[in-house]
Amino acid sequence: ANAGKIAEHYGLKSEFCSSLAGEGLTLENAIERIENGEKLIAAVDTSMLYFPEVTDSPFLPFLIPRVNHAVEIIGFDKSNPDDIKVIINDPGFSDGAGNLYSWDDFKSCSLNSFVSVYK
């Protein structure tokens, strides 16, 4: 939500694209928004994004997912329709431009927290 406030400060519009009660942003809707020129910012839990193997940990019930980082969704790799990848820019790494993640993995890391920014 704070990403939206920052965008609005600079004269842009924003929309929180998530739902705590429902599915929130779907893959189809995310692709449509990007293709329409919107910018999607995702708040992510870096431990889930960078270390997905932790989901196999017996300590998982004690780990509380936390949103502590933001990345920009810049596109989608649709070369394999059965495994569409999200392409992100990650300011946490100097080589973080164009990193690929499966949509399902990425969506779980984002805790379904997306902000759309547009003019």
Side-chain angles (χ1 to χ4, degrees):
N2 287 335
K5 291 177 185 175
I6 293 169
E8 290 170 4
H9 174 78
Y10 288 100
L12 300 169
K13 298 176 184 173
S14 72
E15 175 188 351
F16 190 62
C17 309
S18 299
S19 168
L20 295 176
E23 186 176 325
L25 189 70
T26 64
L27 174 60
E28 293 77 18
N29 186 256
I31 291 171
E32 180 182 338
R33 287 173 180 270
I34 292 295
E35 289 176 351
N36 286 334
E38 293 181 39
K39 305 292 184 191
L40 284 175
I41 298 169
V44 296
D45 179 329
T46 53
S47 63
M48 293 174 71
L49 183 66
Y50 303 144
F51 308 106
E53 66 277 1
V54 85
T55 58
D56 295 332
S57 169
F59 300 106
L60 186 62
F62 304 104
L63 300 175
I64 300 170
R66 56 191 162 69
V67 171
N68 59 1
H69 186 51
V71 297
E72 177 189 10
I73 297 174
I74 60 170
F76 294 88
D77 178 349
K78 299 185 266 184
S79 58
N80 179 353
D82 295 326
D83 186 22
I84 296 176
K85 305 276 189 205
V86 61
I87 307 168
I88 68 167
N89 278 342
D90 186 343
F93 294 99
S94 59
D95 62 348
N99 289 350
L100 292 162
Y101 296 90
S102 77
W103 175 252
D104 290 336
D105 290 345
F106 183 76
K107 192 171 177 185
S108 68
C109 297
S110 72
L111 307 175
N112 209 11
S113 181
F114 301 92
V115 173
S116 175
V117 176
Y118 51 96
K119 291 183 180 183

